[in-house]
Amino acid sequence: MSLTFDPRSIKLPIGHFIGGEYVAGTAAMTVKAPSDGRPIAEIPLADASVVDRAVETAKAALVSSGWNRQRPRERLRALCAWADLIEKEAEYLARIEAVSSSRLIGEALAGDVMVAAEQIRFFAEFADKECDDLVPTADSQFGFIASEPYGVVGAITAWNVPVALAAWKLAPALAAGNAVVLKPSEMTPFSTLYMAELAVRAGMPAGLINVVVGDGPQTGAAIVAHADVAKVSFTGSTRAGVAIMENAARSGIKPVTLELGGKSPQVVFADADLDLAARCITRTILANAGQGCVAGSRVIVDRPVAAGLAERIVELMKQVTPGPTWDETTTFSPIISEPQLSRIDSIVTAARNMGAEVVCGGARIEREGSFYQPTVLAAVTDSSPAVAEEIFGPVLTIQSFDGEEEATQLARHKTYGLSAGLFTKDLSRAMRMVRMLEAGTVWVNRYGRSRDHILPTGGWKSSGLGKDLGREAYHANRRTKSVLIDL
Ligand code: NAD
């Protein structure tokens, strides 16, 4: 069956979703489809009073539902019912995502929605399996470390993979016994609203998931500053992460999980399978048109094979088919907005002015919508803006090295440490390099996340603090209490 659909057939959910129902707000911003630039919705921007209403609703829902007081297995059951309904409604949810974001319909369906359901079940399983710790004490005492949910968790997400990010925030927080007030990106709020609606339709207590639609400085800041939001989980740019950390420090010293930007290296040694390396490198920088936090945008290659690798990459880059996200034959996504496209182009232009050689691409694609050519830049140094800055577009830089030491030096970014790729057939070298690379994730002879949700994801340095996925994400949504009883 064809996945292609008519975008006008999709009714986007509009408003906030609070206490199990849509709450209208004054239309304040126009959202456009990146595929063709057509205005698709007018959305409200929540002010502090709307955020307050969402937080109060979340607090009340925790009490009335007994979400954290009932048997943990009940949370598991409710979350799995939500995952089941997401799977049942997968095609419609994926269509909402494709209409309003840069996600291609095929990727949104198989890669985002179905995996989100899987991750909700993954975290649901923690609810009745993670135990508190008994501690050794004298016989006359009894000591243990209890863990408890925070209460209301505030979550804020980026626009690049909205369904996936909503699942990463909601699933561990809910499984751990919290309620959530979530603000998706103002550019792509619709799929998150629909996920919240599906939770209630699946039987989860209304008010446990509240979605407020709005911008960063007003709505996001109000969530972070709210006195009853006890923990904040954020995915977005490092710049916003800094603002959130400051705000959280001033608003009651609350813990923050920050999943931020990246500028990830892909280190290719001469002994690597170059066809494999070229495929992995090209796939990651072309996926979602490079609008991925872990996009491996800096190729660092052994000098003797640099030309051969570049040739292979350029050849693969020629094979993309740009087009609307709702057409299943499209293989290359639009850029989310015109301002983001201009930013990509200005960084490429600045790099070129500083001596970068444009091996391919380097300009927008002249067609309807916001599309940028797959681009490879060579003859760059660490001071080039194309190497120093996260571009968040389909732009690769290529630098060559002689020896492991120089490879390590080039791979080390002065700001970011999100992920890294490594291509070599030499196991000893791979293990040495894994230790040397400054990154929260290292992939060897592959690039990109698998469906092993037990592997946490998160960055070093200015790429973040704390982890999404894995056991760590569940535990980050609970706080511990040390208890000692004299018997
Ligand atoms: P952004 O920082 O502009 O916005 C992200 C979210 O934060 C949005 O919802 C926005 O409204 C909100 N926001 C902005 N300023 C805020 C503030 N002062 N207080 C509270 N909220 C605020 O990022 P973006 O352009 O939406 O997304 C792209 C960025 O996200 C890239 O840097 C990318 O690397 C990063 N990202 C990281 C990961 C990860 O797992 N590390 C995943 C996806 C995206």
Side-chain angles (χ1 to χ4, degrees):
M1 195 195 72
S2 168
L3 293 179
T4 301
F5 66 98
D6 175 3
R8 287 180 172 76
S9 68
I10 302 303
K11 188 170 176 294
L12 296 171
I14 303 287
H16 314 290
F17 191 79
I18 300 174
E21 56 191 34
Y22 287 100
V23 174
T26 312
M29 188 183 137
T30 304
V31 179
K32 294 179 180 168
S35 294
D36 60 6
R38 180 177 61 96
I40 48 171
E42 298 289 327
I43 60 161
L45 301 177
D47 61 14
S49 70
V50 176
V51 170
D52 189 48
R53 177 172 166 184
V55 175
E56 288 302 323
T57 303
K59 278 165 57 187
L62 280 174
V63 175
S64 62
S65 68
W67 185 244
N68 182 46
R69 294 194 317 274
Q70 63 193 348
R71 280 179 193 278
R73 191 144 197 91
E74 291 303 314
R75 292 207 298 276
L76 183 154
R77 194 195 49 73
L79 286 165
C80 288
W82 180 33
D84 290 347
L85 189 56
I86 286 177
E87 273 181 359
K88 213 167 142 210
E89 295 261 345
E91 195 165 341
Y92 196 74
L93 181 54
R95 287 180 175 191
I96 289 178
E97 190 78 321
V99 169
S100 57
S101 78
S102 56
R103 303 296 292 146
L104 303 179
I105 180 63
E107 290 172 1
L109 181 59
D112 301 353
V113 174
M114 299 311 269
V115 174
E118 201 172 276
Q119 289 169 340
I120 290 167
R121 289 196 193 95
F122 170 82
F123 280 111
E125 291 290 340
F126 282 86
D128 70 343
K129 292 177 189 64
E130 288 293 285
C131 303
D132 291 348
D133 280 336
L134 281 185
V135 297
T137 57
D139 274 2
S140 59
Q141 295 178 313
F142 186 71
F144 62 100
I145 303 166
S147 89
E148 297 174 6
Y150 280 94
V152 180
V153 168
I156 299 171
T157 53
W159 49 260
N160 60 322
V161 275
V163 166
L165 297 181
W168 289 10
K169 300 302 183 197
L170 291 169
L174 293 163
N178 302 283
V180 183
V181 173
L182 168 56
K183 189 197 89 60
S185 168
E186 57 274 37
M187 288 190 267
T188 54
F190 312 107
S191 54
T192 306
L193 286 163
Y194 196 62
M195 283 171 79
E197 178 191 321
L198 290 179
V200 174
R201 277 168 48 193
M204 276 183 55
L208 284 183
I209 302 177
N210 302 283
V211 178
V212 290
V213 173
D215 64 2
Q218 179 181 236
T219 317
I223 293 174
V224 177
H226 198 289
D228 290 329
V229 169
K231 184 225 149 72
V232 174
S233 185
F234 172 71
T235 297
S237 64
T238 298
R239 179 187 40 76
V242 170
I244 284 169
M245 213 168 171
E246 280 177 3
N247 190 356
R250 288 205 192 89
S251 316
I253 312 281
K254 52 191 79 174
V256 288
T257 301
L258 301 174
E259 299 299 341
L260 309 177
K263 190 71 192 175
S264 300
Q266 308 231 40
V267 183
V268 183
F269 283 91
D271 68 350
D273 176 339
L274 290 188
D275 289 326
L276 171 78
R279 275 200 311 277
C280 291
I281 290 166
T282 314
R283 196 166 51 227
T284 163
I285 200 65
L286 296 185
N288 211 21
Q291 301 163 105
C293 52
V294 295
S297 52
R298 291 186 300 128
V299 175
I300 299 184
V301 53
D302 227 342
R303 198 171 303 280
V305 295
L309 183 70
E311 250 170 54
R312 286 171 169 83
I313 290 172
V314 170
E315 195 46 46
L316 290 168
M317 281 189 155
K318 285 186 197 150
Q319 295 170 19
V320 299
T321 310
T325 44
W326 46 82
D327 182 337
E328 73 166 1
T329 62
T330 300
T331 63
F332 188 59
S333 290
I335 304 300
I336 190 70
S337 65
E338 279 299 310
Q340 174 59 12
L341 190 142
S342 302
R343 184 176 173 276
I344 294 169
D345 197 46
S346 68
I347 296 176
V348 170
T349 304
R352 187 191 271 151
N353 291 341
M354 285 175 68
E357 175 201 341
V358 181
V359 182
C360 69
R364 79 177 293 151
I365 299 175
E366 294 305 336
R367 54 162 294 135
E368 182 183 59
S370 310
F371 290 84
Y372 201 80
Q373 294 172 356
T375 299
V376 177
L377 303 175
V380 289
T381 62
D382 285 358
S383 59
S384 167
V387 176
E389 288 183 42
E390 182 185 42
I391 299 178
F392 227 55
V395 183
L396 272 183
T397 58
I398 300 192
Q399 294 170 280
S400 304
F401 68 80
D402 296 298
E404 283 177 26
E405 204 178 309
E406 194 183 2
T408 308
Q409 248 171 38
L410 288 171
R412 189 171 293 144
H413 195 274
K414 72 176 183 345
T415 310
Y416 297 112
L418 190 55
S419 49
L422 185 59
F423 295 86
T424 175
K425 287 182 186 148
D426 180 337
L427 183 58
S428 306
R429 165 180 282 154
M431 290 309 292
R432 273 197 304 278
M433 289 297 296
V434 163
R435 296 266 175 226
M436 298 304 292
L437 291 169
E438 289 184 341
T441 296
V442 180
W443 288 298
V444 182
N445 295 328
R446 61 168 287 124
Y447 198 88
R449 292 190 190 90
S450 64
R451 285 165 85 151
D452 303 299
H453 311 308
I454 192 70
L455 285 167
T457 178
W460 287 17
K461 299 159 80 173
S462 299
S463 286
L465 197 63
K467 304 282 181 179
D468 275 339
L469 298 180
R471 228 179 227 109
E472 281 183 72
Y474 177 81
H475 288 294
N477 282 284
R478 291 176 74 87
R479 51 187 161 187
T480 60
K481 184 178 277 175
S482 296
V483 183
L484 186 62
I485 304 172
D486 281 350
L487 297 169

